[in-house]
Amino acid sequence: MLDRISLDDDQLILDTQSLDIKDAHEFLKSYGCHSPGNLDLIGDELFLLKPSAWDEGYVPFFANAEAMWHSLRTRSTKPEHMHIIGMDQDQHASISRLLALYFLVRETLKTLCHSEGDDSQTLKYIFFSSKESLLTKLEVSYLMACDELMAIEVDDKGVKHAQTMHAASMADEDVHCEERRHVMRETLTDFLKDEKDCNIRTIMASISPFYKKYNERYKVYVSKFSVNKILTEIENDCVSFLGKVQDAIIAQQTKAFAVPGGIVAVGAILKPATTAWDYLVILIGLIISTWMITSLNNNVVSHIDLLSDEFKRSTKKYDDIVVGVEDIQEKVEESRKKVLISSASASSKLNGLTRVCWLILILVSLILLKRFLEV
């Protein structure tokens, strides 16, 4: 039915000859005409240029590309329908891609900009960037003539890249939304820094290179974020290990307080002891106590060594990291040193406690032997 629309003295007319008027009205409704009955019908000619009969006053049929562009260039979104009389299907597909790209880039810029132009700066998006305490202002105009629009070459891949960036800028449900927008603004500033006339057509004509630059910058940001996350994980693992070692030492030190009490108790028991059986019972009790403390200390030392080995194994998963490898390896080595020093210190303290217990056993055994020989 689109081939029935023609231009006559600046009027768009739908030829309804041999058509049921209801079918014509249904066709127009599908293109956004909410009141097709209000359109003027003279004979078989239905006059379409009556904005009040159309949604938002938008008539989706145009005599040529210039008329189409004059109507659409200031709209905020791409209209659902658009038809230029006399254009074939390939030409329509090309213009549709250009319009899709134009509105995608415009909405992306509108989301990213810090302010929009006022009455003295119409059809502009304004950006501010600060680098090394220097504030820079960037104005991107979306004012463009129809022939400039038609001169832009774009393919489906370019439109897809624009859709990806548009979705990235509009998404606000995750924690990285502001970072993505910041990266995109930095990319835009860098991309247009050498341009004297910062216009949306520059971005549209180079949408794929622009997308590539943005993607590279965003990958660097994600890599830095991942590195910081890994460093935090290593630090948390190290702190967790040191806490476990400290808990083990405190537990054994609490048990070690029983050693001085044991010495006092042995001295009290030795005083009234007079027979060989008394000496034997004291010696056996002391041997069992020393063995138990030694066994517990050895178990704790083995546990600390096991924790140390487990920490080393857990940090080996970062050996294959490529991005930020220097920072990660430095953090791993620092944590491993802390773990090694803490493990060695804990083992030394526990081994010292074990030696004290055996020394007490030897001293008491000598005293018992001397008392036994004197009896």
Side-chain angles (χ1 to χ4, degrees), residues 16-87:
T16 61
Q17 186 177 7
S18 71
L19 280 180
D20 188 335
I21 194 63
K22 291 183 178 179
D23 293 337
H25 285 177
E26 288 300 319
F27 164 74
L28 294 176
K29 284 182 179 180
S30 68
Y31 273 78
C33 183
H34 57 77
S35 302
N38 292 341
L39 297 175
D40 296 330
L41 179 63
I42 302 177
D44 293 329
E45 295 180 341
L46 188 63
F47 289 78
L48 304 179
L49 292 181
K50 191 172 186 179
S52 61
W54 296 84
D55 294 342
E56 299 179 0
Y58 169 69
V59 182
F61 307 111
F62 303 95
N64 49 52
E66 287 80 3
M68 175 275 300
W69 181 238
H70 180 75
S71 175
L72 299 186
R73 62 181 180 175
T74 57
R75 291 177 65 92
S76 58
T77 58
K78 181 178 179 291
E80 183 179 358
H81 302 290
M82 182 277 301
H83 179 73
I84 300 174
I85 297 172
M87 278 196 175

Side-chain angles (χ1 to χ4, degrees), residues 232-265:
T232 303
E233 289 177 357
I234 295 172
E235 182 67 25
N236 291 339
D237 290 344
C238 182
V239 170
S240 176
F241 171 81
L242 295 177
K244 291 178 180 178
V245 172
Q246 188 66 23
D247 290 341
I249 292 296
I250 291 174
Q252 289 306 103
Q253 285 177 340
T254 301
K255 296 181 179 68
F257 287 135
V259 174
I263 297 174
V264 175

Side-chain angles (χ1 to χ4, degrees), residues 113-260:
C113 75
H114 295 100
S115 66
E116 298 185 46
D118 51 23
D119 294 338
S120 62
Q121 296 176 316
T122 57
L123 306 180
K124 284 186 178 181
Y125 296 120
I126 301 172
F127 301 83
F128 297 97
S129 62
S130 178
K131 193 172 184 180
E132 297 179 355
S133 301
L134 180 64
L135 183 65
T136 304
K137 181 181 180 181
L138 175 67
E139 296 180 356
V140 181
S141 172
Y142 56 94
L143 179 64
M144 181 168 40
C146 181
D147 57 344
E148 292 176 324
L149 175 71
M150 297 303 172
I152 298 173
E153 296 183 3
V154 62
D155 53 12
D156 291 335
K157 185 178 180 181
V159 175
K160 185 177 180 180
H161 288 160
Q163 289 172 338
T164 302
M165 288 190 292
H166 176 265
S169 66
M170 299 300 291
D172 56 3
E173 68 277 1
D174 61 89
V175 296
H176 298 292
C177 58
E178 286 302 325
E179 285 74 12
R180 276 197 303 271
R181 292 169 185 168
H182 177 70
V183 171
M184 207 173 293
R185 289 189 196 100
E186 285 188 337
T187 307
L188 180 67
T189 303
D190 183 66
F191 193 78
L192 298 177
K193 64 181 180 181
D194 297 326
E195 294 289 331
K196 293 182 179 180
D197 180 23
C198 297
N199 192 280
I200 193 173
R201 65 176 176 274
T202 305
I203 304 171
M204 291 175 62
S206 305
I207 189 64
S208 291
F210 180 75
Y211 170 77
K212 183 179 179 182
K213 281 182 175 290
Y214 158 71
N215 207 30
E216 289 173 351
R217 283 176 175 263
Y218 187 62
K219 283 181 179 178
V220 171
Y221 160 74
V222 171
S223 298
K224 287 182 179 179
F225 178 82
S226 300
V227 168
N228 292 334
K229 184 179 179 181
I230 290 172
L231 294 178
T232 303
E233 289 177 357
I234 295 172
E235 182 67 25
N236 291 339
D237 290 344
C238 182
V239 170
S240 176
F241 171 81
L242 295 177
K244 291 178 180 178
V245 172
Q246 188 66 23
D247 290 341
I249 292 296
I250 291 174
Q252 289 306 103
Q253 285 177 340
T254 301
K255 296 181 179 68
F257 287 135
V259 174

